[in-house]
Amino acid sequence: MKKSVGMKACLLMVLLSAFAVDVTLAKKGRGKGKGPKDDKGDRPEGGQGKRPAGAGNRPSRGPPGLGIFADTGADTTPALLSTLPKARDGSLGLAANGQIMIVFQNRTGPKNETSGPQLFVSFSETGESWSTSEPVVIQGLPAGVSFVTSPTLTSSGAGTLMYFTGASDKNLRETPSAIHVAIHNGGGVFTYAGEAFSVPGAIMGKNAVAFSGTTGYMIVPQHGVMRDDDDDDDDDQAEALPIVARKLLDRKKGGKKGGKRGSNMAYLATGTGPASFGPAYTNITLPQEDRRNSWVGTLLSSGNQLVFYGSGPGPWPVVSSDAGATWTVADTQVNYPSQDPSVLPVSGRTLIAAGVKKSRGPKPAPAPMAA
């Protein structure tokens, strides 16, 4: 029997009173992720709100750009080759002429209420220096797909492909979304090739795609489902509640986007062409027990194996020898610096694009006092 809106409000108020002290203390110490100042007005290293060093490969809050790293296969940390300032959600790939390319979103680029950040592309010979970025243009993109995000580059017999999440609005909890695909023509120009995969009622977000011969494999993390009619009643009541109670309600319902960001559950679909994945799919689970790990990352094909580099503390990668039915941790791990990596084997080494932390550097000397 469905609970009344009034009973839900009472439950939320009880939760609010129970957490009032903790919330108050959290606000005093949290600030903007910085600790309290000492008697000299400075914020000590390792203060409240700071994540300790070596806490896994999660990125810092608000990374200033994408770092391009090179891994040679040795048991060492990949070396930083270059940085793309203000970039995020990058995906590495190979252009038809053999150049390394990366498609990414600009943190400060033009955006509006429906389209979100614009996609950009840049090119490199070695990964150490990059061409001036240029906007991505998708020719033939349907008019109803005005929001484009989460690009993924991969190669197949059809050429260099870019898979991306598309919808008519950035509010994916209320707007149907799907994974679409476009073929690279050169420069920043792509040609739309169709809708590749969707699950009715499910939120489509990040994606990872690899081809082995003519067979393609796609992994899409399970980010939850769209809003249903029952949520409207909850939201009407939530508007009249204090902000902390609204956050508790939102957390109870699985977050503003309807589910966890970066689930250890994912959809696995196969296809025989760029836009032929699904509608059938299987549910897959990561082999590690750490719930911080997720199916957000890069899928590669190596011989008869699928290799996946994911997000979280790892270890990564995980491999499958049975077309994705089961996964195990690889014998050799790669230590990359943050979540959502893009991985590209090229010229005897592996390039990795991942978020980099901002270096605070030494504090400037105080200005001299006037005489």
Side-chain angles (χ1 to χ4, degrees), residues 168-244:
S168 61
D169 186 90
K170 66 179 181 180
N171 186 355
L172 301 184
R173 195 179 175 204
E174 296 183 347
T175 306
S177 54
I179 306 298
H180 300 259
V181 61
I183 302 174
H184 186 228
N185 291 341
V189 181
F190 291 77
T191 298
Y192 182 73
E195 179 179 316
F197 179 71
S198 65
V199 177
I203 296 173
M204 297 286 101
K206 304 282 187 177
N207 63 88
V209 185
F211 281 84
S212 178
T214 59
T215 302
Y217 300 87
M218 176 183 290
I219 292 177
V220 180
Q222 296 184 8
H223 289 301
V225 297
M226 295 174 59
R227 176 192 298 269
D228 58 30
D229 294 337
D230 290 340
D231 290 333
D232 295 332
D233 295 335
D234 294 340
D235 289 344
D236 291 341
Q237 182 66 28
E239 289 298 324
L241 295 174
I243 186 169
V244 177

Side-chain angles (χ1 to χ4, degrees), residues 276-293:
S276 65
F277 292 86
Y281 62 85
T282 57
N283 295 306
I284 56 176
T285 306
L286 283 169
Q288 305 101 319
E289 295 181 359
D290 196 321
R291 297 181 64 183
R292 293 172 295 174
N293 291 330

Side-chain angles (χ1 to χ4, degrees), residues 102-268:
I102 184 169
V103 174
F104 59 91
Q105 292 184 173
N106 192 318
R107 293 177 59 85
T108 59
K111 58 184 177 181
N112 57 49
E113 293 183 356
T114 58
S115 66
Q118 188 173 355
L119 299 184
F120 289 83
V121 63
S122 187
F123 298 88
S124 175
E125 297 295 334
T126 63
E128 298 178 5
S129 62
W130 295 84
S131 66
T132 302
S133 61
E134 53 186 299
V136 167
V137 176
I138 305 176
Q139 297 177 338
L141 186 68
V145 185
S146 56
F147 175 66
V148 173
T149 187
S150 302
T152 294
L153 293 176
T154 192
S155 297
S156 77
T160 302
L161 308 176
M162 180 179 70
Y163 289 86
F164 58 92
T165 299
S168 61
D169 186 90
K170 66 179 181 180
N171 186 355
L172 301 184
R173 195 179 175 204
E174 296 183 347
T175 306
S177 54
I179 306 298
H180 300 259
V181 61
I183 302 174
H184 186 228
N185 291 341
V189 181
F190 291 77
T191 298
Y192 182 73
E195 179 179 316
F197 179 71
S198 65
V199 177
I203 296 173
M204 297 286 101
K206 304 282 187 177
N207 63 88
V209 185
F211 281 84
S212 178
T214 59
T215 302
Y217 300 87
M218 176 183 290
I219 292 177
V220 180
Q222 296 184 8
H223 289 301
V225 297
M226 295 174 59
R227 176 192 298 269
D228 58 30
D229 294 337
D230 290 340
D231 290 333
D232 295 332
D233 295 335
D234 294 340
D235 289 344
D236 291 341
Q237 182 66 28
E239 289 298 324
L241 295 174
I243 186 169
V244 177
R246 292 203 300 271
K247 289 183 177 180
L248 288 171
L249 175 62
D250 200 37
R251 186 184 304 171
K252 178 184 175 184
K253 295 191 295 184
K256 291 185 178 181
K257 292 188 177 181
K260 293 181 179 179
R261 296 185 63 188
S263 171
N264 60 1
M265 294 286 295
Y267 305 108
L268 171 66

